[in-house]
């Protein structure tokens, strides 16, 4: 067993974060991941403050282990939630879809570990200067809202640019991916898509079936035109969206078309008009397992991969 500095910092047992997936990452999934020794992360998404507060309280009922809250900075409630997490004694905050600079003083004063998701070297360096405890480096293989660069090129460049721990995200679904992330200089990983098939994940069964059936080429990126690129499993909605983008429909109209579609996928399982966010690894995710089984398997595979590669290499 290796001692991971991110585990010491956060008082967790394995260096695996569960991605803060909007609508998906609620108390059942989050507490299961934390109870299995990883870091469960509640997704605030676009939810109102009081709903997120309830999720925090329900999570505390189901686990005594540390967990985090992901604040999606495009949310109209982001500011209120930024304050609420301090009142609720949340230990770890991750952020997405923006620059959380203005909240650092608030969070640091509350003793919160701050771990922004970054899609570029420049933002990672800025976050370190502000006092970030670590960064999640997210490549565009990820599902949901993405940046431009892949995990493969982003992790080593950010590793070289900052001195804080780096958590790799995007394109990681098994022990080979975790081992590769370590080789690139990461201190831990964040995994989203694989947890969609966790027994404790409450998404509609149609969503789970779509992930199970997905092949390598089955994700598409919509919203490049609106400035909010989002990776989803292809369906009628994603095809329609891309067609309208090509036809030059205004960003406002496109945003309107996208509104509420993630809820339709997660809660209603609406195959045609839901937005089924998933990463490019969907093609290699097909087993339904408990969070404990997923985490145990990931760590065992990682160990085996590193041991085998280490044995075969010589110079
Ligand atoms: O945030 C995510 N993934 C998400 S959020 C989400 S909900 C949503 N719904 C509709 C439209 C948009 C989002 C679904 N998936 N990942 C973290 C992430 N952060 N990816 C990219 C970024 C990012 C982008 C720009 C972080 C910072 C950033 O900074 C720009 C700036 O202001 O400097």
């Amino acid at each position: 067993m290796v001692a991971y500095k991110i585990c010491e910092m956060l008082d967790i047992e394995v260096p695996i974060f569960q991605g803060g997936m909007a609508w998906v990452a609620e108390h059942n999934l989050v507490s299961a991941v934390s109870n299995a020794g990883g870091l469960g992360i509640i997704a605030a998404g676009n939810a109102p403050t009081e709903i997120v507060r309830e999720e925090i309280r329900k999570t505390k009922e189901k686990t005594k282990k540390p967990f985090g809250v992901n604040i999606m900075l495009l949310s109209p409630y982001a500011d209120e939630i930024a304050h609420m997490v301090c009142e609720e004694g949340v230990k770890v905050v991750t952020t997405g879809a923006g620059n959380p600079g203005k909240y650092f003083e608030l969070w640091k004063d509350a003793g919160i570990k701050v771990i922004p998701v970054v899609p570029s070297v420049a933002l990672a360096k800025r976050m370190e200067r502000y006092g970030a405890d670590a960064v999640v480096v997210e490549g565009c293989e990820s599902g949901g809202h993405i940046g431009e660069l892949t995990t493969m090129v982003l992790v080593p460049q950010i590793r070289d640019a900052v001195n804080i721990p780096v958590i790799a995200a995007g394109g990681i679904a098994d022990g080979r991916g975790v081992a590769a992330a370590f080789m690139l200089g990461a201190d831990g990983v964040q995994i989203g898509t694989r947890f969609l098939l966790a027994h404790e994940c409450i998404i509609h069964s149609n969503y789970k079936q779509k992930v199970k059936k997905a092949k390598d080429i089955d994700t598409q990126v919509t919203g490049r035109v609106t400035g909010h690129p989002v990776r989803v499993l292809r369906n009628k909605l994603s095809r329609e969206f891309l067609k309208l983008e090509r036809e030059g429909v205004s960003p406002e109209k496109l945003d309107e078309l996208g509104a509420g579609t993630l809820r339709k996928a997660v809660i209603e399982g609406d195959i045609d008009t839901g937005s089924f966010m998933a990463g490019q690894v969907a093609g290699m995710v097909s087993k339904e397992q408990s969070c404990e089984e997923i985490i145990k398997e990931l760590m065992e595979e990682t160990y085996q991969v590193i041991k085998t590669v280490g044995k075969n290499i010589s110079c």
Side-chain angles (χ1 to χ4, degrees), residues 99-113:
N99 178 347
K102 64 179 173 182
Y103 300 120
F104 269 83
E105 203 180 324
L106 174 73
W107 290 336
K108 295 272 95 187
D109 284 351
I112 294 174
K113 298 280 187 231

Side-chain angles (χ1 to χ4, degrees), residues 58-116:
K58 287 178 182 163
T59 304
K60 282 182 187 164
E61 281 170 20
K62 298 192 81 159
T63 185
K64 296 290 162 256
K65 303 263 180 85
F67 64 89
V69 174
N70 174 266
I71 303 182
M72 206 279 282
L73 296 168
L74 291 170
S75 163
Y77 304 103
D79 213 59
E80 254 180 51
I81 293 172
H83 288 83
M84 182 272 288
V85 292
C86 302
E87 295 161 17
E88 293 299 318
V90 167
K91 301 273 193 310
V92 185
V93 164
T94 67
T95 61
N99 178 347
K102 64 179 173 182
Y103 300 120
F104 269 83
E105 203 180 324
L106 174 73
W107 290 336
K108 295 272 95 187
D109 284 351
I112 294 174
K113 298 280 187 231
V114 183
I115 310 185

Side-chain angles (χ1 to χ4, degrees), residues 36-71:
L39 186 74
I41 300 178
I42 296 171
N46 277 311
T49 310
E50 292 313 308
I51 301 281
V52 183
R53 193 194 297 276
E54 270 309 298
E55 287 300 321
I56 293 169
R57 293 185 178 175
K58 287 178 182 163
T59 304
K60 282 182 187 164
E61 281 170 20
K62 298 192 81 159
T63 185
K64 296 290 162 256
K65 303 263 180 85
F67 64 89
V69 174
N70 174 266
I71 303 182

Side-chain angles (χ1 to χ4, degrees), residues 22 72 74 96-99 117 119 123 126 138 144-147 228 230 277:
M72 206 279 282
L74 291 170
N99 178 347
V117 179
L123 196 60
R126 208 174 311 147
E138 192 185 275
H145 183 62
I146 53 170
H228 300 146
V230 173
M277 295 183 185

Side-chain angles (χ1 to χ4, degrees), residues 161-217:
V162 299
N163 289 308
I164 50 179
V166 163
I167 310 301
I172 303 168
D174 63 16
R176 295 170 297 184
V178 179
F182 286 152
M183 294 303 115
L184 296 175
D187 300 284
V189 296
Q190 177 169 285
I191 288 179
T193 303
R194 175 119 183 227
F195 284 115
L196 291 174
L197 293 193
H199 295 321
E200 297 90 345
C201 179
I202 50 74
I203 61 174
H204 195 283
S205 58
N206 289 350
Y207 202 145
K208 295 201 181 195
Q209 286 312 313
K210 250 187 113 51
V211 174
K212 271 187 177 179
K213 277 196 271 170
K215 295 190 296 294
D216 54 351
I217 57 167

